[in-house]
Amino acid sequence: MTQTADRLPTFFLNHGGGPWPWMDGPMRRAYDQLEGSLQAVIPSLGAMPKAILVVSAHWEEAVPHVSTNAAPPMLYDYYGFPEHTYRIRYPAPGSPELAGRVSQLLRAGGMDCCGDAKRGFDHGTFSMMQPIRPEADIPVVQLSVLTSFDAAEHIAMGRLLAPLREEGVLVLGSGLSYHNLRNFGVKGQAASHAFDRWLRHSLSGVDGDQRAIALERWMDGPAAMQAHPRPEHLLPLHVIAGAAGADPCSVQFHQDDFFGGLAVTSFRFG
């Protein structure tokens, strides 16, 4: 991919629950603040990205996998939602070119990578991308997290992908800074606020090396295991922070008291 003069920021974003952009009523209204923040992503860049790479919390593999389909299908990876939400489409094209570049960068850094031509957009991607770019005219490629759940490995993966930022590629991490479905809502309020405070403090006003050390030791943070019994929704943040390098982090991109007072934060780097 060709190089551009400007380096794009990276974002770790809350993708919300299920197919929320295609719903109505109280659940839909609970996402108003999130929707506004997602709608601001592209305008905040000052230029239209050539393509978007989404590190999805909803795709776990033993080695990094990247979606290669030029016309990705849909993956309705949720249950119990209205019938029409199993027919929705986010018709953005894929980009075999970007998928190949991702694979090239990872392999050059000693990390294996596999292409997946069948993988469709999961809701961690399409529910986030619908408010970000409803026109669906920017190519989107998905990248998996790793089943090892190794924090340092995810940071290293992000560092290898950093050149994409100077090639017109917007790198997004799709997850949630609190993800414990057994304690969602009021039951998770205390843990979510404790972990969110630690996360914001650990990422803001420190250099890239200090950030990486904190993220590698995220399990030592207050209420960390209550906030993330499984860390797949946090690990896209590690990839994004790795790709950010020494760029500063803004913790004000999106903060929300979510579903019964859960504290969740989205982050922009650079």
Side-chain angles (χ1 to χ4, degrees), residues 127-195:
S127 290
M128 181 181 72
M129 286 305 308
Q130 175 65 18
I132 288 177
R133 191 64 180 173
E135 297 88 345
D137 57 355
I138 303 174
V140 177
V141 168
Q142 294 181 133
L143 178 65
S144 72
V145 295
L146 305 176
T147 53
S148 68
F149 293 159
D150 184 275
E153 194 172 13
H154 285 84
I155 295 169
M157 181 161 60
R159 287 173 174 156
L160 295 176
L161 297 173
L164 295 175
R165 300 175 56 201
E166 297 180 350
E167 299 171 7
V169 177
L170 178 62
V171 184
L172 303 178
S174 172
L176 192 57
S177 60
Y178 173 88
H179 194 260
N180 184 342
L181 297 182
R182 292 187 176 183
N183 288 305
F184 220 66
V186 175
K187 291 192 296 183
Q189 189 176 54
S192 73
H193 281 263
F195 186 70

Side-chain angles (χ1 to χ4, degrees), residues 48-217:
M48 192 66 65
K50 294 180 179 178
I52 296 174
L53 178 66
V54 176
V55 184
S56 176
H58 286 265
W59 191 7
E60 302 174 25
E61 299 285 354
V63 299
H65 278 54
V66 62
S67 61
T68 62
N69 198 322
M74 298 287 282
L75 177 59
Y76 304 115
D77 55 339
Y78 43 76
Y79 61 91
F81 287 89
E83 189 274 337
H84 78 272
T85 63
Y86 297 90
R87 293 181 280 107
I88 59 177
R89 297 283 302 164
Y90 185 74
S95 174
E97 179 188 10
L98 174 55
R101 179 64 171 141
V102 169
S103 181
Q104 178 189 45
L105 289 169
L106 293 180
R107 287 174 175 164
M111 188 173 287
D112 196 9
C113 184
C114 297
D116 189 325
K118 296 182 179 180
R119 179 77 181 188
F121 291 145
D122 59 55
H123 89 260
T125 295
F126 64 73
S127 290
M128 181 181 72
M129 286 305 308
Q130 175 65 18
I132 288 177
R133 191 64 180 173
E135 297 88 345
D137 57 355
I138 303 174
V140 177
V141 168
Q142 294 181 133
L143 178 65
S144 72
V145 295
L146 305 176
T147 53
S148 68
F149 293 159
D150 184 275
E153 194 172 13
H154 285 84
I155 295 169
M157 181 161 60
R159 287 173 174 156
L160 295 176
L161 297 173
L164 295 175
R165 300 175 56 201
E166 297 180 350
E167 299 171 7
V169 177
L170 178 62
V171 184
L172 303 178
S174 172
L176 192 57
S177 60
Y178 173 88
H179 194 260
N180 184 342
L181 297 182
R182 292 187 176 183
N183 288 305
F184 220 66
V186 175
K187 291 192 296 183
Q189 189 176 54
S192 73
H193 281 263
F195 186 70
D196 194 72
R197 282 192 300 271
W198 174 85
L199 197 60
R200 287 186 281 113
H201 176 76
S202 299
L203 299 183
S204 178
V206 299
D207 65 30
D209 290 337
Q210 288 176 291
R211 273 200 316 249
I213 291 170
L215 286 173
E216 286 180 18
R217 300 173 179 172

